[in-house]
Amino acid sequence: MFKPENRKETLSLIFGIVLLFAGVGLLLTGFSIAYGIVTNPSGFIQSQIPASIQQNATAGPRASFTYTVANYTVTFSDASQPGDAPVAIWDWDFGDGARSNQQSPQHTYSTNFSGFVRLTVRDGNDKANSAVANVQAFMTANSQGNSTVDPGDIGASIDFGAVFRPIFGVLVAVAAAATTFFMLLIMTLVGGAITKAGWNLIRPRPETIKIRIKPKHLEAEPVYPPQAGMPPPPPTL
């Protein structure tokens, strides 16, 4: 460590120490993050998936019912299956303008009826599903049947989010891992550069001696080759 002799060297020393500590701190931070990723890669990948994607999609209910026709009176029996939450609401549409919120109602038509009866169930998670049945009620009618899935509710019954959510989560995690890798690479390069710059400012420097050479010091007397038969010139003192 050299001893500063003037204001410029003092500022250089202080700035170099700051840079040295900043670069070493940046390197240690990058190495710490990299060590955590290497020792627990699955945990790192899982931590990069947003919480909204990690949440499991709640399953909704599946509406279903059976019915028995006796003349104009039809008895309906709910056979719906709950999802992740129990069914909270039953909404019956008997097709003649009448409705009911009972779980298993009975309805008497005033005239001959041939049409669709629809049951819509809704659970505590506010997820709904419907089922329909073609019911025919008239004098002397005596039949029974089962409902089918409401054609207009088939698309709503498929949770596309549950299908693509895991794939999207993996893509997000891979993108986050790649971004983290490049961040660590840049952090290492920058940290190394800052550390080197700081050390260059505070490392010991060899002492130098300035010598000024004037042109006259470079002058030299001409030297002639000896001629045959002539004694050598006397040495110059």
Side-chain angles (χ1 to χ4, degrees):
M1 187 79 65
F2 75 95
K3 182 179 179 181
E5 298 181 356
N6 51 51
R7 176 183 176 85
K8 182 178 180 181
E9 291 185 351
T10 301
L11 293 177
S12 176
L13 176 62
I14 295 175
F15 189 60
I17 294 175
V18 172
L19 285 180
L20 184 62
F21 277 101
V24 172
L26 195 61
L27 287 175
L28 291 177
T29 302
F31 292 153
S32 176
I33 296 174
Y35 177 79
I37 296 174
V38 172
T39 55
N40 187 17
S42 60
F44 170 74
I45 294 295
Q46 189 70 19
S47 66
Q48 300 306 306
I49 302 177
S52 59
I53 297 178
Q54 295 186 37
Q55 293 176 354
N56 295 326
T58 55
R62 291 295 178 265
S64 178
F65 63 90
T66 61
Y67 63 93
T68 301
V69 181
N71 298 325
Y72 292 108
T73 301
V74 184
T75 302
F76 298 95
S77 296
D78 174 50
S80 301
Q81 298 295 322
D84 292 339
V87 177
I89 298 175
W90 292 264
D91 183 14
W92 294 88
D93 182 358
F94 298 121
D96 61 349
R99 306 181 76 92
S100 175
N101 294 120
Q102 297 180 11
Q103 182 176 359
S104 298
Q106 185 180 79
H107 181 66
T108 300
Y109 293 93
S110 58
T111 59
N112 294 346
F113 175 79
S114 178
F116 287 97
V117 176
R118 176 178 284 101
L119 167 63
T120 301
V121 295
R122 188 177 298 275
D123 64 9
N125 292 327
D126 202 32
K127 289 185 174 292
N129 188 251
S130 300
V132 296
N134 188 4
V135 177
Q136 296 181 357
F138 51 89
M139 184 62 67
T140 72
N142 185 10
S143 63
Q144 59 184 11
N146 300 312
S147 65
T148 59
V149 178
D150 187 353
D153 204 36
I154 293 179
S157 301
I158 302 175
D159 190 354
F160 291 99
V163 176
F164 294 104
R165 187 175 288 107
I167 300 175
F168 183 66
V170 172
L171 293 178
V172 170
V174 170
T179 302
T180 304
F181 172 77
F182 286 111
M183 179 194 70
L184 290 175
L185 179 61
I186 294 174
M187 183 182 296
T188 302
L189 295 177
V190 173
I194 293 177
T195 303
K196 183 178 180 180
W199 172 246
N200 288 336
L201 289 174
I202 65 176
R203 67 178 177 176
R205 292 176 174 79
E207 295 294 335
T208 58
I209 301 176
K210 297 181 179 179
I211 300 177
R212 178 178 297 178
I213 300 178
K214 295 183 179 180
K216 67 179 182 177
H217 294 152
L218 300 177
E219 295 178 357
E221 295 182 359
V223 177
Y224 300 99
Q227 298 180 1
M230 297 291 293
T236 303
L237 298 178

